[in-house]
């Protein structure tokens, strides 16, 4: 009877939520069994957790429109993430994995709470100063160069190969040079990010400016619209999906570039400095805490861009189904 209810597509919409709740309760029971040292009970509750979480996520992902689908979209990744953390915690503690190899999520959470002021200072130095400043400058410069290449055709043939070469240079090749040019503080990290983000934005903006349909361009010419008016009224709106694509790519590159650049010289603050220093001290819980902060910052920034893109390009054909 239970199996039929779980497997039937037209089952009650509350069933997925009951399964998710059951998975959370089973996780709690597994942790209690782990504290008691009963590995057999730990294995049983872990299996029950996996079963309930799997079927709960499967049913939540298949909910029809209007049946709590919006809440399910948030619940599925949340439940999946909790299940992964649960498996990580159980594997580390049951098999007694050394902390230096892989700390448990609970140890990482404790490091986040204990070293919160230090991690916040690292976040400000790396993300808000180095990565964000370089991201804005690199993306803006790439977009402006794309406009110049579009207006003056020979610039495209001259600048694109140079920008391609600059974008292909490894971080470890340009970071020491930027440190020599701009010093050990955040401006050198921002300069590395500028070099990394310029080429993706340049290429995507150029592709977007060429995305307007010939019929639309002909219509603008029939109205005697010049290059500037056609750019503002037609070509830039048509290029928005390409612009956001470049911005989202750069959101990841900027954070990576700023962190790696800090390995080559920085004040005693910053995520890259913290990771390299604490690895040498075997404090892997702090290393993973820094990685968690970077991951949350990058994912949050990417999500904001995706939300802004959805709001600004809802009319575009590329937004169909989003």
């Amino acid at each position: 009877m239970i199996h039929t209810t779980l497997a039937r597509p037209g089952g009650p919409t509350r069933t997925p939520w009951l399964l998710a709740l059951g998975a959370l309760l089973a996780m709690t029971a597994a942790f209690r069994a782990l504290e008691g040292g009963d590995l057999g009970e730990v294995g049983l509750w872990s299996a029950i957790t996996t079963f309930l979480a799997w079927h709960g996520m499967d049913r939540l992902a298949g909910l029809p429109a209007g049946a709590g689908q919006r809440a399910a979209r948030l619940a599925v990744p949340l439940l999946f993430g909790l299940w992964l953390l649960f498996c990580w915690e159980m594997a580390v503690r049951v098999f007694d994995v050394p902390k230096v190899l892989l700390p448990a999520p609970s140890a990482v959470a404790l490091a986040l709470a204990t070293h919160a002021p230090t991690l916040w200072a690292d976040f400000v130095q790396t993300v808000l100063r180095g990565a964000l400043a370089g991201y804005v400058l690199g993306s803006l410069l790439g977009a402006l160069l794309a406009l110049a290449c579009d207006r003056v055709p020979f610039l495209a043939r001259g600048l694109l190969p140079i920008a391609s070469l600059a974008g292909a240079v490894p971080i470890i090749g340009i970071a020491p040079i930027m440190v020599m040019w701009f010093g050990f503080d955040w401006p050198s990290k921002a300069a590395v990010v500028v070099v990394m983000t310029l080429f993706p934005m340049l290429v995507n903006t150029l592709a977007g400016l060429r995305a307007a349909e010939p019929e639309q361009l002909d219509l603008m010419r029939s109205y005697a619209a010049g290059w500037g008016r056609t750019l503002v009224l037609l070509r830039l709106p048509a290029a928005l999906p390409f612009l956001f694509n470049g911005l989202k790519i750069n959101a990841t590159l900027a954070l990576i570039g700023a962190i790696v650049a800090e390995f080559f010289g920085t004040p005693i603050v910053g995520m890259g400095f913290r990771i390299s220093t604490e690895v040498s001290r075997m404090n892997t819980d702090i290393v993973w805490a820094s990685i968690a902060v970077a991951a949350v910052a990058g994912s949050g920034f990417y999500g904001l861009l995706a939300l802004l893109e959805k709001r600004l390009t809802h009319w575009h054909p590329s937004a169909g189904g989003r």
Side-chain angles (χ1 to χ4, degrees):
M1 177 67 100
I2 295 176
H3 177 75
T4 303
T5 304
L6 294 180
R8 189 171 67 250
T13 57
R14 67 176 180 271
T15 302
W17 300 104
L18 292 175
L19 289 169
L21 178 60
L24 295 177
L25 294 176
M27 287 183 191
T28 304
F31 281 120
R32 288 180 178 176
L34 184 63
E35 295 298 331
D38 190 343
L39 295 183
E41 191 176 351
V42 169
L44 175 62
W45 283 113
S46 297
I48 294 174
T49 297
T50 300
F51 174 82
L52 293 176
W54 184 277
H55 284 279
M57 290 184 290
D58 183 56
R59 294 296 298 273
L60 285 171
L63 283 179
Q69 189 184 50
R70 179 170 296 182
R73 287 180 180 177
L74 297 176
V76 170
L78 180 61
L79 182 58
F80 186 76
L82 288 174
W83 177 72
L84 284 180
L85 291 175
F86 169 79
C87 294
W88 178 359
E89 182 81 21
M90 286 296 163
V92 170
R93 295 177 64 176
V94 169
F95 295 104
D96 199 19
V97 178
K99 176 184 173 182
V100 69
L101 294 180
L102 183 65
S106 56
V108 176
L110 180 61
L112 279 169
T114 305
H115 301 278
T118 300
L119 294 174
W120 171 252
D122 293 339
F123 173 82
V124 171
Q125 175 73 10
T126 302
V127 178
L128 300 185
R129 293 179 178 173
L132 187 58
Y135 173 84
V136 172
L137 290 174
S139 299
L140 181 60
L141 183 58
L144 292 177
L145 286 176
L147 291 174
C149 292
D150 180 75
R151 183 59 173 164
V152 185
F154 77 84
L155 285 178
R157 297 186 178 183
L159 283 176
L160 277 177
I162 297 175
S164 177
L165 287 173
V169 175
I171 306 176
I172 59 174
I174 60 175
I177 297 175
M178 295 304 172
V179 170
M180 293 174 61
W181 286 0
F182 298 100
F184 289 95
D185 212 342
W186 65 267
S188 60
K189 311 334 176 252
V192 172
V193 174
V194 168
V195 175
M196 293 183 63
T197 56
L198 187 147
F199 180 67
M201 197 64 193
L202 172 60
V203 172
N204 278 278
T205 305
L206 274 177
L209 292 174
R210 297 166 181 169
E213 298 292 337
E215 295 81 1
Q216 296 171 329
L217 294 172
D218 290 339
L219 179 62
M220 295 299 293
R221 281 192 288 267
S222 70
Y223 289 140
W227 180 83
R229 179 160 298 198
T230 302
L231 177 70
V232 173
L233 297 181
L234 172 62
R235 302 180 69 200
L236 280 180
L240 279 178
F242 294 86
L243 292 173
F244 275 105
N245 187 49
L247 289 173
K248 289 188 291 187
I249 292 173
N250 285 348
T252 303
L253 292 177
L255 196 55
I256 295 173
I259 292 176
V260 174
E262 288 180 344
F263 291 171
F264 297 91
T266 182
I268 54 173
V269 65
M271 292 182 177
F273 168 81
R274 194 69 50 204
I275 291 172
S276 61
T277 302
E278 298 303 334
V279 162
S280 63
R281 296 174 179 173
M282 301 299 180
N283 294 328
T284 53
D285 53 344
I286 303 178
V287 173
W288 280 92
S290 298
I291 293 173
V293 171
V296 171
S299 299
F301 189 37
Y302 187 95
L304 288 176
L305 288 172
L307 181 61
L308 184 61
E309 178 187 16
K310 187 176 181 180
R311 293 294 179 89
L312 295 181
T313 64
H314 61 88
W315 52 270
H316 196 274
S318 65
R322 286 191 295 174

